[in-house]
Each structure stands twice: as C-alpha cells, then as structure tokens.
Amino acid sequence: NDKWNDQNNWSATSGGAGGYCIPTQFDDVIFDANSVITSSNVNTTGEAWFRNITIQNDVPKATFSFTGANTSCYGSWFMKSGVSFATNVNVLFYPPAGSVGVDAETITTNGSKFYNVYVRGLGEVRFEDSFNSTGSLYFSGGTINTNDQNVYLAGQFYGSETLYPTLANGGYRSLKLGTSVISIDAIWTYASGAPSLDAGTSHIILRNATSNTSFTAFSGHTYYDVTQNESTAAFTMQGNTTFHNIITK
C-alpha cells in the first residue's frame, strides 16, 4: 500500500516476508529491485527515521515521490535519479559525533531534488555530487562540506538557525565550500553562534534581482566570490569580513 509506517511493508532481507519492523534511527533502509512501489508515492503517514538509506538504480519504479511527513536521516543518503519530495516532506540530517573527514556521512542525489533540508548534529555531511533543493537549506549544527560540488537552492540558505545541539552539549557550526558554485534565490545568512567558514574559492550567487536580496556575514569570515543581481541588495557584516570579489549586476 506504499505506506512507510506500515510494518507489513518491511522485511529483514531483500524480497523477504513483510512484517519485520518499521525502521528506526538505528536501521539501514534499502530500496532495490525487489521493492514494491505500486503508485507514484511513498507515503510517510508519520515521521520516518533511519540510519542510512540507499535507493538503488534498479528500483522498478522509474520515478516516485515521498509524501506525507518529515524524514530524518542519521547516516548517509544515496538515491537514484527520479526521486522527488512533496512540499510537506522536509529531510533532516543528524550526522553523529565522529562522522568527520573520511568518516563523514555522505549525500548522493544523482540529480534528484530534495525539498527543505535541515542539517543539525555533531558530525559532518559531505555532498558527493550536485546538490539540488526545491526549497531552502537550514543549517543548525555540525559540518556541511560541499566537496567542490555545485549547489542549487530554489529557496534560501539559513545558517543562523538556533544551534542544535546547544553549545553546552558540544554544538558547533562549520561550513566548507571548496570550489563549489552555490546558487540561491535571495538570502544568505551565516552569522550567529561563532560559525566556522572555509570558503575556498567558491562562488555564491544570489539570483533574485529584488530588494529582498540580502547577504549577512559573521565577523572575521573570508569569502571568495559573491554575485548578487540587485544593486540595492543589503550586505550586513558583523565586524570585519573579507571578500575576493563582490559582483553586482
């Protein structure tokens, strides 16, 4: 019946009998050639949790959408092309402590697009290919490593969300941009909770040519290239912020 929260739809092995358990944050989820998706949707009638998820290229359904409720990933995410997300399905990443560097959790999309994405945790998520969202990216904690991959957000980048976990519980915020080209609609904010920034030689582009366009930076940060398409866009700096180029069109 394509319902995520129906225990009868889950098995312990590929093609095995249903009735195993609804996945938790400690379970790995795999969609493969033996997965049965009868409609165009996988419906999360309640919140969905898992550790790692793999939506393999051999899933019989060429295209399908996640609908219903939010989805939380406590590990890595791999999905084939043709996967989409309804506008009521946010994806939340909780990279655990210790998942940094070579042990970072990874996100591989193969051209599929998330809706809103939240990153909050004590570890690192690393983009393995181009990252696309039809919504916004909300960064509350941990490390985002764009890994030289291009990033396209139909919405905004909000990097000044309330720190999660809190500073007292080890919370931190670190952004590594490498050579990525990051295209967002109108708002970039990364300016609270003493965030760490390694901008590399990245290029941040604010596409929207309206007075709503704004770029808010933290004291002491060094950006590389920033392009904004509105000459009256607001640039807010907390203290000294350095740029290689600010390009106004």
Side-chain angles (χ1 to χ4, degrees):
N1 59 14
D2 299 336
K3 291 183 178 180
W4 181 285
N5 303 87
D6 185 341
Q7 182 175 340
N8 294 316
N9 291 332
W10 296 101
S11 65
T13 59
S14 177
Y20 179 60
C21 74
I22 299 171
T24 72
Q25 68 189 71
F26 305 106
D27 297 308
D28 293 338
V29 169
I30 300 173
F31 288 78
D32 64 11
N34 293 313
S35 298
V36 179
I37 303 173
T38 57
S39 69
S40 297
N41 299 317
V42 172
N43 186 14
T44 52
T45 53
E47 283 202 50
W49 295 273
F50 45 83
R51 184 173 60 177
N52 303 308
I53 186 170
T54 303
I55 305 173
Q56 296 180 177
N57 294 325
D58 59 358
V59 173
K61 203 74 174 180
T63 61
F64 65 91
S65 180
F66 282 90
T67 63
N70 292 344
T71 299
S72 295
C73 176
Y74 291 81
S76 293
W77 187 298
F78 177 96
M79 60 182 166
K80 72 181 192 70
S81 61
V83 180
S84 59
F85 297 80
T87 55
N88 59 349
V89 180
N90 302 312
V91 174
L92 295 82
F93 287 94
Y94 293 91
S99 59
V100 296
V102 296
D103 296 319
E105 307 298 348
T106 59
I107 302 175
T108 307
T109 66
N110 288 295
S112 290
K113 299 178 181 180
F114 294 106
Y115 179 52
N116 288 331
V117 171
Y118 294 75
V119 177
R120 42 174 77 162
L122 290 169
E124 177 179 340
V125 292
R126 184 178 69 238
F127 300 167
E128 295 294 273
D129 60 0
S130 296
F131 181 93
N132 292 276
S133 166
T134 60
S136 297
L137 177 55
Y138 298 82
F139 185 24
S140 296
T143 298
I144 295 177
N145 182 354
T146 62
N147 193 31
D148 304 328
Q149 306 297 331
N150 291 337
V151 177
Y152 183 93
L153 306 178
Q156 325 305 338
F157 178 82
Y158 296 112
S160 295
E161 300 293 291
T162 300
L163 196 63
Y164 182 95
T166 64
L167 192 62
N169 289 309
Y172 74 97
R173 199 166 3 221
S174 176
L175 189 57
K176 302 177 182 179
L177 303 181
T179 63
S180 296
V181 175
I182 302 160
S183 177
I184 64 177
D185 174 42
I187 299 172
W188 173 280
T189 175
Y190 189 56
S192 69
S196 170
L197 172 68
D198 181 354
T201 57
S202 61
H203 187 180
I204 300 170
I205 301 170
L206 285 66
R207 301 183 307 271
N208 196 335
T210 73
S211 58
N212 293 325
T213 301
S214 65
F215 189 98
T216 306
F218 191 72
S219 176
H221 280 178
T222 297
Y223 286 90
Y224 201 70
D225 290 347
V226 175
T227 295
Q228 53 93 0
N229 291 322
E230 169 52 48
S231 59
T232 62
F235 271 69
T236 304
M237 314 303 167
Q238 296 182 1
N240 297 319
T241 306
T242 303
F243 296 85
H244 176 255
N245 286 308
I246 298 177
I247 304 161
T248 302
K249 296 183 178 180

mmCIF file of all heavy atoms in Angstrom, residues 126-174:
data_model
loop_
_atom_site.group_PDB
_atom_site.id
_atom_site.type_symbol
_atom_site.label_atom_id
_atom_site.label_comp_id
_atom_site.label_asym_id
_atom_site.label_seq_id
_atom_site.Cartn_x
_atom_site.Cartn_y
_atom_site.Cartn_z
ATOM 1 N N ARG A 126 28.809 15.323 3.759
ATOM 2 C CA ARG A 126 29.597 15.692 2.581
ATOM 3 C C ARG A 126 28.803 15.379 1.321
ATOM 4 O O ARG A 126 28.280 14.287 1.159
ATOM 5 C CB ARG A 126 30.920 14.910 2.574
ATOM 6 C CG ARG A 126 31.860 15.288 1.432
ATOM 7 C CD ARG A 126 33.170 14.529 1.505
ATOM 8 N NE ARG A 126 32.984 13.110 1.214
ATOM 9 C CZ ARG A 126 33.318 12.122 2.052
ATOM 10 N NH1 ARG A 126 33.841 12.396 3.237
ATOM 11 N NH2 ARG A 126 33.121 10.865 1.708
ATOM 12 N N PHE A 127 28.708 16.376 0.426
ATOM 13 C CA PHE A 127 27.995 16.182 -0.826
ATOM 14 C C PHE A 127 28.888 15.414 -1.801
ATOM 15 O O PHE A 127 30.017 15.824 -2.062
ATOM 16 C CB PHE A 127 27.605 17.527 -1.443
ATOM 17 C CG PHE A 127 26.702 18.373 -0.582
ATOM 18 C CD1 PHE A 127 26.486 19.708 -0.882
ATOM 19 C CD2 PHE A 127 26.041 17.841 0.521
ATOM 20 C CE1 PHE A 127 25.660 20.500 -0.102
ATOM 21 C CE2 PHE A 127 25.210 18.608 1.314
ATOM 22 C CZ PHE A 127 25.022 19.954 0.995
ATOM 23 N N GLU A 128 28.355 14.331 -2.364
ATOM 24 C CA GLU A 128 29.126 13.506 -3.290
ATOM 25 C C GLU A 128 28.865 13.858 -4.746
ATOM 26 O O GLU A 128 29.616 13.440 -5.632
ATOM 27 C CB GLU A 128 28.827 12.022 -3.058
ATOM 28 C CG GLU A 128 29.277 11.512 -1.692
ATOM 29 C CD GLU A 128 30.785 11.520 -1.532
ATOM 30 O OE1 GLU A 128 31.425 10.540 -1.923
ATOM 31 O OE2 GLU A 128 31.330 12.534 -1.022
ATOM 32 N N ASP A 129 27.792 14.594 -5.008
ATOM 33 C CA ASP A 129 27.518 15.109 -6.354
ATOM 34 C C ASP A 129 26.702 16.381 -6.198
ATOM 35 O O ASP A 129 26.522 16.883 -5.087
ATOM 36 C CB ASP A 129 26.822 14.054 -7.239
ATOM 37 C CG ASP A 129 25.485 13.585 -6.680
ATOM 38 O OD1 ASP A 129 25.077 14.075 -5.593
ATOM 39 O OD2 ASP A 129 24.845 12.719 -7.313
ATOM 40 N N SER A 130 26.223 16.935 -7.296
ATOM 41 C CA SER A 130 25.472 18.191 -7.235
ATOM 42 C C SER A 130 24.285 18.059 -6.281
ATOM 43 O O SER A 130 23.586 17.038 -6.280
ATOM 44 C CB SER A 130 24.985 18.592 -8.628
ATOM 45 O OG SER A 130 26.078 18.865 -9.468
ATOM 46 N N PHE A 131 24.075 19.105 -5.508
ATOM 47 C CA PHE A 131 23.018 19.110 -4.502
ATOM 48 C C PHE A 131 21.941 20.084 -4.949
ATOM 49 O O PHE A 131 22.223 21.262 -5.184
ATOM 50 C CB PHE A 131 23.587 19.524 -3.150
ATOM 51 C CG PHE A 131 22.598 19.534 -2.018
ATOM 52 C CD1 PHE A 131 22.437 18.424 -1.213
ATOM 53 C CD2 PHE A 131 21.821 20.663 -1.762
ATOM 54 C CE1 PHE A 131 21.527 18.430 -0.161
ATOM 55 C CE2 PHE A 131 20.915 20.680 -0.726
ATOM 56 C CZ PHE A 131 20.759 19.564 0.084
ATOM 57 N N ASN A 132 20.693 19.592 -5.050
ATOM 58 C CA ASN A 132 19.591 20.427 -5.531
ATOM 59 C C ASN A 132 18.422 20.361 -4.567
ATOM 60 O O ASN A 132 18.062 19.285 -4.074
ATOM 61 C CB ASN A 132 19.120 19.945 -6.911
ATOM 62 C CG ASN A 132 20.142 20.178 -7.988
ATOM 63 O OD1 ASN A 132 20.224 21.255 -8.556
ATOM 64 N ND2 ASN A 132 20.950 19.156 -8.279
ATOM 65 N N SER A 133 17.821 21.516 -4.323
ATOM 66 C CA SER A 133 16.657 21.591 -3.444
ATOM 67 C C SER A 133 15.616 22.511 -4.058
ATOM 68 O O SER A 133 15.944 23.587 -4.554
ATOM 69 C CB SER A 133 17.075 22.123 -2.065
ATOM 70 O OG SER A 133 15.951 22.509 -1.303
ATOM 71 N N THR A 134 14.355 22.077 -4.009
ATOM 72 C CA THR A 134 13.258 22.937 -4.452
ATOM 73 C C THR A 134 12.793 23.852 -3.326
ATOM 74 O O THR A 134 11.869 24.636 -3.510
ATOM 75 C CB THR A 134 12.073 22.097 -4.961
ATOM 76 O OG1 THR A 134 11.601 21.262 -3.890
ATOM 77 C CG2 THR A 134 12.485 21.225 -6.134
ATOM 78 N N GLY A 135 13.454 23.757 -2.155
ATOM 79 C CA GLY A 135 13.161 24.622 -1.025
ATOM 80 C C GLY A 135 14.418 25.314 -0.548
ATOM 81 O O GLY A 135 15.231 25.784 -1.349
ATOM 82 N N SER A 136 14.624 25.353 0.768
ATOM 83 C CA SER A 136 15.755 26.044 1.384
ATOM 84 C C SER A 136 16.611 25.066 2.179
ATOM 85 O O SER A 136 16.192 23.949 2.486
ATOM 86 C CB SER A 136 15.260 27.166 2.308
ATOM 87 O OG SER A 136 14.547 28.160 1.580
ATOM 88 N N LEU A 137 17.815 25.517 2.534
ATOM 89 C CA LEU A 137 18.732 24.742 3.360
ATOM 90 C C LEU A 137 18.883 25.456 4.700
ATOM 91 O O LEU A 137 19.301 26.625 4.753
ATOM 92 C CB LEU A 137 20.084 24.600 2.665
ATOM 93 C CG LEU A 137 21.209 23.874 3.410
ATOM 94 C CD1 LEU A 137 20.785 22.476 3.848
ATOM 95 C CD2 LEU A 137 22.458 23.793 2.534
ATOM 96 N N TYR A 138 18.546 24.746 5.785
ATOM 97 C CA TYR A 138 18.599 25.279 7.140
ATOM 98 C C TYR A 138 19.738 24.574 7.880
ATOM 99 O O TYR A 138 19.705 23.355 8.061
ATOM 100 C CB TYR A 138 17.276 25.043 7.868
ATOM 101 C CG TYR A 138 16.080 25.715 7.239
ATOM 102 C CD1 TYR A 138 15.420 25.132 6.149
ATOM 103 C CD2 TYR A 138 15.591 26.918 7.735
ATOM 104 C CE1 TYR A 138 14.316 25.743 5.574
ATOM 105 C CE2 TYR A 138 14.484 27.531 7.168
ATOM 106 C CZ TYR A 138 13.849 26.937 6.079
ATOM 107 O OH TYR A 138 12.759 27.538 5.509
ATOM 108 N N PHE A 139 20.720 25.342 8.321
ATOM 109 C CA PHE A 139 21.923 24.773 8.917
ATOM 110 C C PHE A 139 21.972 25.127 10.400
ATOM 111 O O PHE A 139 22.228 26.263 10.765
ATOM 112 C CB PHE A 139 23.144 25.324 8.177
ATOM 113 C CG PHE A 139 24.464 24.748 8.605
ATOM 114 C CD1 PHE A 139 24.550 23.499 9.211
ATOM 115 C CD2 PHE A 139 25.630 25.466 8.392
ATOM 116 C CE1 PHE A 139 25.767 22.971 9.600
ATOM 117 C CE2 PHE A 139 26.861 24.947 8.773
ATOM 118 C CZ PHE A 139 26.929 23.708 9.386
ATOM 119 N N SER A 140 21.724 24.116 11.255
ATOM 120 C CA SER A 140 21.663 24.344 12.697
ATOM 121 C C SER A 140 22.878 23.834 13.441
ATOM 122 O O SER A 140 23.145 24.287 14.554
ATOM 123 C CB SER A 140 20.415 23.679 13.286
ATOM 124 O OG SER A 140 19.243 24.264 12.777
ATOM 125 N N GLY A 141 23.618 22.863 12.885
ATOM 126 C CA GLY A 141 24.759 22.348 13.616
ATOM 127 C C GLY A 141 25.507 21.278 12.858
ATOM 128 O O GLY A 141 24.974 20.639 11.949
ATOM 129 N N GLY A 142 26.788 21.081 13.249
ATOM 130 C CA GLY A 142 27.633 20.108 12.588
ATOM 131 C C GLY A 142 28.446 20.764 11.483
ATOM 132 O O GLY A 142 28.694 21.975 11.487
ATOM 133 N N THR A 143 28.849 19.965 10.513
ATOM 134 C CA THR A 143 29.645 20.447 9.388
ATOM 135 C C THR A 143 28.941 20.111 8.078
ATOM 136 O O THR A 143 28.493 18.980 7.877
ATOM 137 C CB THR A 143 31.041 19.786 9.377
ATOM 138 O OG1 THR A 143 31.748 20.140 10.568
ATOM 139 C CG2 THR A 143 31.857 20.226 8.171
ATOM 140 N N ILE A 144 28.854 21.097 7.199
ATOM 141 C CA ILE A 144 28.451 20.862 5.810
ATOM 142 C C ILE A 144 29.686 21.044 4.954
ATOM 143 O O ILE A 144 30.308 22.113 4.954
ATOM 144 C CB ILE A 144 27.345 21.823 5.348
ATOM 145 C CG1 ILE A 144 26.052 21.589 6.128
ATOM 146 C CG2 ILE A 144 27.091 21.650 3.850
ATOM 147 C CD1 ILE A 144 24.933 22.552 5.759
ATOM 148 N N ASN A 145 30.039 20.010 4.217
ATOM 149 C CA ASN A 145 31.163 20.043 3.280
ATOM 150 C C ASN A 145 30.605 19.871 1.876
ATOM 151 O O ASN A 145 30.168 18.782 1.508
ATOM 152 C CB ASN A 145 32.153 18.923 3.617
ATOM 153 C CG ASN A 145 33.379 18.927 2.720
ATOM 154 O OD1 ASN A 145 33.466 19.691 1.760
ATOM 155 N ND2 ASN A 145 34.332 18.050 3.005
ATOM 156 N N THR A 146 30.595 20.947 1.091
ATOM 157 C CA THR A 146 30.035 20.846 -0.261
ATOM 158 C C THR A 146 30.956 20.079 -1.203
ATOM 159 O O THR A 146 30.536 19.703 -2.302
ATOM 160 C CB THR A 146 29.745 22.235 -0.849
ATOM 161 O OG1 THR A 146 30.976 22.970 -0.956
ATOM 162 C CG2 THR A 146 28.749 23.000 0.015
ATOM 163 N N ASN A 147 32.210 19.862 -0.796
ATOM 164 C CA ASN A 147 33.095 18.933 -1.500
ATOM 165 C C ASN A 147 33.272 19.301 -2.978
ATOM 166 O O ASN A 147 33.313 18.431 -3.850
ATOM 167 C CB ASN A 147 32.533 17.502 -1.363
ATOM 168 C CG ASN A 147 33.506 16.429 -1.787
ATOM 169 O OD1 ASN A 147 34.719 16.589 -1.647
ATOM 170 N ND2 ASN A 147 32.979 15.333 -2.311
ATOM 171 N N ASP A 148 33.358 20.603 -3.274
ATOM 172 C CA ASP A 148 33.562 21.108 -4.638
ATOM 173 C C ASP A 148 32.376 20.845 -5.563
ATOM 174 O O ASP A 148 32.481 21.070 -6.782
ATOM 175 C CB ASP A 148 34.835 20.518 -5.273
ATOM 176 C CG ASP A 148 36.079 20.779 -4.451
ATOM 177 O OD1 ASP A 148 36.142 21.832 -3.783
ATOM 178 O OD2 ASP A 148 36.994 19.932 -4.460
ATOM 179 N N GLN A 149 31.258 20.383 -5.028
ATOM 180 C CA GLN A 149 30.069 20.110 -5.844
ATOM 181 C C GLN A 149 29.226 21.381 -5.962
ATOM 182 O O GLN A 149 29.205 22.214 -5.058
ATOM 183 C CB GLN A 149 29.232 18.990 -5.223
ATOM 184 C CG GLN A 149 29.998 17.714 -4.952
ATOM 185 C CD GLN A 149 30.527 17.057 -6.205
ATOM 186 O OE1 GLN A 149 29.932 17.202 -7.285
ATOM 187 N NE2 GLN A 149 31.624 16.328 -6.088
ATOM 188 N N ASN A 150 28.505 21.501 -7.067
ATOM 189 C CA ASN A 150 27.609 22.641 -7.241
ATOM 190 C C ASN A 150 26.342 22.460 -6.408
ATOM 191 O O ASN A 150 25.846 21.344 -6.234
ATOM 192 C CB ASN A 150 27.257 22.828 -8.712
ATOM 193 C CG ASN A 150 28.447 23.300 -9.527
ATOM 194 O OD1 ASN A 150 29.388 23.874 -8.984
ATOM 195 N ND2 ASN A 150 28.426 23.054 -10.827
ATOM 196 N N VAL A 151 25.831 23.581 -5.914
ATOM 197 C CA VAL A 151 24.654 23.577 -5.057
ATOM 198 C C VAL A 151 23.627 24.532 -5.649
ATOM 199 O O VAL A 151 23.950 25.691 -5.958
ATOM 200 C CB VAL A 151 25.014 24.017 -3.618
ATOM 201 C CG1 VAL A 151 23.762 24.080 -2.750
ATOM 202 C CG2 VAL A 151 26.060 23.078 -3.015
ATOM 203 N N TYR A 152 22.387 24.059 -5.804
ATOM 204 C CA TYR A 152 21.299 24.923 -6.297
ATOM 205 C C TYR A 152 20.144 24.837 -5.313
ATOM 206 O O TYR A 152 19.589 23.752 -5.078
ATOM 207 C CB TYR A 152 20.831 24.500 -7.685
ATOM 208 C CG TYR A 152 19.761 25.416 -8.239
ATOM 209 C CD1 TYR A 152 20.098 26.503 -9.057
ATOM 210 C CD2 TYR A 152 18.420 25.214 -7.933
ATOM 211 C CE1 TYR A 152 19.118 27.356 -9.542
ATOM 212 C CE2 TYR A 152 17.433 26.071 -8.416
ATOM 213 C CZ TYR A 152 17.795 27.141 -9.226
ATOM 214 O OH TYR A 152 16.815 27.985 -9.704
ATOM 215 N N LEU A 153 19.787 25.987 -4.732
ATOM 216 C CA LEU A 153 18.632 26.082 -3.847
ATOM 217 C C LEU A 153 17.592 26.981 -4.492
ATOM 218 O O LEU A 153 17.877 28.141 -4.790
ATOM 219 C CB LEU A 153 19.040 26.671 -2.494
ATOM 220 C CG LEU A 153 20.192 25.988 -1.733
ATOM 221 C CD1 LEU A 153 20.473 26.743 -0.439
ATOM 222 C CD2 LEU A 153 19.859 24.539 -1.450
ATOM 223 N N ALA A 154 16.386 26.448 -4.696
ATOM 224 C CA ALA A 154 15.309 27.304 -5.194
ATOM 225 C C ALA A 154 14.967 28.359 -4.162
ATOM 226 O O ALA A 154 14.482 29.436 -4.503
ATOM 227 C CB ALA A 154 14.080 26.465 -5.534
ATOM 228 N N GLY A 155 15.228 28.052 -2.884
ATOM 229 C CA GLY A 155 14.989 28.990 -1.802
ATOM 230 C C GLY A 155 16.270 29.611 -1.283
ATOM 231 O O GLY A 155 17.141 30.011 -2.066
ATOM 232 N N GLN A 156 16.412 29.622 0.051
ATOM 233 C CA GLN A 156 17.471 30.405 0.695
ATOM 234 C C GLN A 156 18.448 29.503 1.461
ATOM 235 O O GLN A 156 18.189 28.317 1.669
ATOM 236 C CB GLN A 156 16.854 31.420 1.664
ATOM 237 C CG GLN A 156 15.535 32.022 1.251
ATOM 238 C CD GLN A 156 15.535 32.693 -0.107
ATOM 239 O OE1 GLN A 156 16.575 33.087 -0.625
ATOM 240 N NE2 GLN A 156 14.357 32.811 -0.733
ATOM 241 N N PHE A 157 19.560 30.119 1.903
ATOM 242 C CA PHE A 157 20.475 29.456 2.829
ATOM 243 C C PHE A 157 20.383 30.164 4.170
ATOM 244 O O PHE A 157 20.742 31.331 4.300
ATOM 245 C CB PHE A 157 21.920 29.502 2.332
ATOM 246 C CG PHE A 157 22.902 28.876 3.296
ATOM 247 C CD1 PHE A 157 23.079 27.508 3.319
ATOM 248 C CD2 PHE A 157 23.617 29.663 4.190
ATOM 249 C CE1 PHE A 157 23.954 26.920 4.217
ATOM 250 C CE2 PHE A 157 24.495 29.091 5.100
ATOM 251 C CZ PHE A 157 24.671 27.712 5.107
ATOM 252 N N TYR A 158 19.895 29.421 5.187
ATOM 253 C CA TYR A 158 19.748 29.960 6.526
ATOM 254 C C TYR A 158 20.759 29.272 7.441
ATOM 255 O O TYR A 158 20.536 28.145 7.904
ATOM 256 C CB TYR A 158 18.330 29.739 7.046
ATOM 257 C CG TYR A 158 17.258 30.472 6.262
ATOM 258 C CD1 TYR A 158 16.320 29.768 5.493
ATOM 259 C CD2 TYR A 158 17.168 31.858 6.298
ATOM 260 C CE1 TYR A 158 15.326 30.438 4.783
ATOM 261 C CE2 TYR A 158 16.181 32.535 5.596
ATOM 262 C CZ TYR A 158 15.269 31.821 4.838
ATOM 263 O OH TYR A 158 14.295 32.484 4.137
ATOM 264 N N GLY A 159 21.874 29.935 7.690
ATOM 265 C CA GLY A 159 22.923 29.365 8.516
ATOM 266 C C GLY A 159 23.028 30.010 9.875
ATOM 267 O O GLY A 159 24.062 29.897 10.540
ATOM 268 N N SER A 160 21.972 30.695 10.310
ATOM 269 C CA SER A 160 21.963 31.322 11.632
ATOM 270 C C SER A 160 20.812 30.783 12.471
ATOM 271 O O SER A 160 20.310 31.455 13.380
ATOM 272 C CB SER A 160 21.862 32.842 11.500
ATOM 273 O OG SER A 160 23.012 33.357 10.885
ATOM 274 N N GLU A 161 20.393 29.550 12.164
ATOM 275 C CA GLU A 161 19.364 28.894 12.960
ATOM 276 C C GLU A 161 19.880 28.652 14.382
ATOM 277 O O GLU A 161 21.088 28.621 14.639
ATOM 278 C CB GLU A 161 18.982 27.558 12.313
ATOM 279 C CG GLU A 161 18.436 27.678 10.902
ATOM 280 C CD GLU A 161 17.103 28.379 10.873
ATOM 281 O OE1 GLU A 161 16.128 27.791 11.362
ATOM 282 O OE2 GLU A 161 17.043 29.526 10.390
ATOM 283 N N THR A 162 18.971 28.474 15.328
ATOM 284 C CA THR A 162 19.365 28.150 16.698
ATOM 285 C C THR A 162 20.271 26.932 16.697
ATOM 286 O O THR A 162 19.957 25.910 16.079
ATOM 287 C CB THR A 162 18.124 27.877 17.561
ATOM 288 O OG1 THR A 162 17.295 29.043 17.574
ATOM 289 C CG2 THR A 162 18.513 27.517 18.986
ATOM 290 N N LEU A 163 21.413 27.038 17.372
ATOM 291 C CA LEU A 163 22.408 25.972 17.352
ATOM 292 C C LEU A 163 21.824 24.689 17.925
ATOM 293 O O LEU A 163 21.221 24.684 19.002
ATOM 294 C CB LEU A 163 23.632 26.399 18.155
ATOM 295 C CG LEU A 163 24.916 25.591 17.956
ATOM 296 C CD1 LEU A 163 25.409 25.697 16.521
ATOM 297 C CD2 LEU A 163 25.990 26.080 18.924
ATOM 298 N N TYR A 164 22.009 23.583 17.183
ATOM 299 C CA TYR A 164 21.498 22.276 17.623
ATOM 300 C C TYR A 164 22.530 21.204 17.289
ATOM 301 O O TYR A 164 22.868 21.036 16.125
ATOM 302 C CB TYR A 164 20.173 21.958 16.930
ATOM 303 C CG TYR A 164 19.568 20.648 17.391
ATOM 304 C CD1 TYR A 164 18.615 20.621 18.406
ATOM 305 C CD2 TYR A 164 19.960 19.431 16.824
ATOM 306 C CE1 TYR A 164 18.062 19.419 18.839
ATOM 307 C CE2 TYR A 164 19.417 18.237 17.260
ATOM 308 C CZ TYR A 164 18.470 18.233 18.261
ATOM 309 O OH TYR A 164 17.936 17.048 18.697
ATOM 310 N N PRO A 165 23.033 20.478 18.303
ATOM 311 C CA PRO A 165 22.775 20.654 19.726
ATOM 312 C C PRO A 165 23.303 22.006 20.224
ATOM 313 O O PRO A 165 24.022 22.693 19.516
ATOM 314 C CB PRO A 165 23.550 19.492 20.366
ATOM 315 C CG PRO A 165 23.801 18.522 19.270
ATOM 316 C CD PRO A 165 23.919 19.342 18.032
ATOM 317 N N THR A 166 22.984 22.329 21.463
ATOM 318 C CA THR A 166 23.419 23.601 22.034
ATOM 319 C C THR A 166 24.933 23.594 22.248
ATOM 320 O O THR A 166 25.580 22.542 22.251
ATOM 321 C CB THR A 166 22.729 23.857 23.383
ATOM 322 O OG1 THR A 166 23.130 22.843 24.313
ATOM 323 C CG2 THR A 166 21.215 23.848 23.234
ATOM 324 N N LEU A 167 25.480 24.787 22.442
ATOM 325 C CA LEU A 167 26.913 24.904 22.688
ATOM 326 C C LEU A 167 27.319 24.104 23.922
ATOM 327 O O LEU A 167 28.369 23.446 23.946
ATOM 328 C CB LEU A 167 27.269 26.385 22.862
ATOM 329 C CG LEU A 167 28.755 26.753 22.852
ATOM 330 C CD1 LEU A 167 29.395 26.398 21.522
ATOM 331 C CD2 LEU A 167 28.943 28.236 23.155
ATOM 332 N N ALA A 168 26.479 24.118 24.960
ATOM 333 C CA ALA A 168 26.775 23.374 26.187
ATOM 334 C C ALA A 168 26.822 21.875 25.953
ATOM 335 O O ALA A 168 27.476 21.138 26.704
ATOM 336 C CB ALA A 168 25.725 23.705 27.253
ATOM 337 N N ASN A 169 26.156 21.408 24.904
ATOM 338 C CA ASN A 169 26.137 19.982 24.576
ATOM 339 C C ASN A 169 27.052 19.645 23.404
ATOM 340 O O ASN A 169 26.881 18.620 22.742
ATOM 341 C CB ASN A 169 24.703 19.536 24.271
ATOM 342 C CG ASN A 169 23.846 19.507 25.514
ATOM 343 O OD1 ASN A 169 24.226 18.922 26.527
ATOM 344 N ND2 ASN A 169 22.684 20.135 25.454
ATOM 345 N N GLY A 170 28.032 20.530 23.155
ATOM 346 C CA GLY A 170 29.023 20.249 22.119
ATOM 347 C C GLY A 170 28.671 20.770 20.750
ATOM 348 O O GLY A 170 29.386 20.488 19.782
ATOM 349 N N GLY A 171 27.596 21.548 20.639
ATOM 350 C CA GLY A 171 27.167 22.038 19.339
ATOM 351 C C GLY A 171 28.161 22.995 18.711
ATOM 352 O O GLY A 171 28.855 23.748 19.400
ATOM 353 N N TYR A 172 28.255 22.952 17.409
ATOM 354 C CA TYR A 172 29.133 23.846 16.644
ATOM 355 C C TYR A 172 28.577 23.933 15.230
ATOM 356 O O TYR A 172 27.663 23.190 14.844
ATOM 357 C CB TYR A 172 30.575 23.310 16.614
ATOM 358 C CG TYR A 172 30.749 22.111 15.698
ATOM 359 C CD1 TYR A 172 31.229 22.255 14.401
ATOM 360 C CD2 TYR A 172 30.416 20.833 16.130
ATOM 361 C CE1 TYR A 172 31.361 21.163 13.554
ATOM 362 C CE2 TYR A 172 30.548 19.739 15.303
ATOM 363 C CZ TYR A 172 31.020 19.904 14.010
ATOM 364 O OH TYR A 172 31.137 18.819 13.175
ATOM 365 N N ARG A 173 29.160 24.836 14.431
ATOM 366 C CA ARG A 173 28.701 25.007 13.051
ATOM 367 C C ARG A 173 29.923 25.293 12.188
ATOM 368 O O ARG A 173 30.668 26.235 12.429
ATOM 369 C CB ARG A 173 27.700 26.160 12.987
ATOM 370 C CG ARG A 173 26.833 26.142 11.765
ATOM 371 C CD ARG A 173 25.627 27.064 11.823
ATOM 372 N NE ARG A 173 25.474 27.905 12.981
ATOM 373 C CZ ARG A 173 24.305 28.128 13.584
ATOM 374 N NH1 ARG A 173 23.215 27.538 13.167
ATOM 375 N NH2 ARG A 173 24.222 28.939 14.622
ATOM 376 N N SER A 174 30.150 24.468 11.153
ATOM 377 C CA SER A 174 31.308 24.614 10.280
ATOM 378 C C SER A 174 30.892 24.396 8.834
ATOM 379 O O SER A 174 30.201 23.422 8.520
ATOM 380 C CB SER A 174 32.394 23.598 10.672
ATOM 381 O OG SER A 174 33.498 23.665 9.783
#
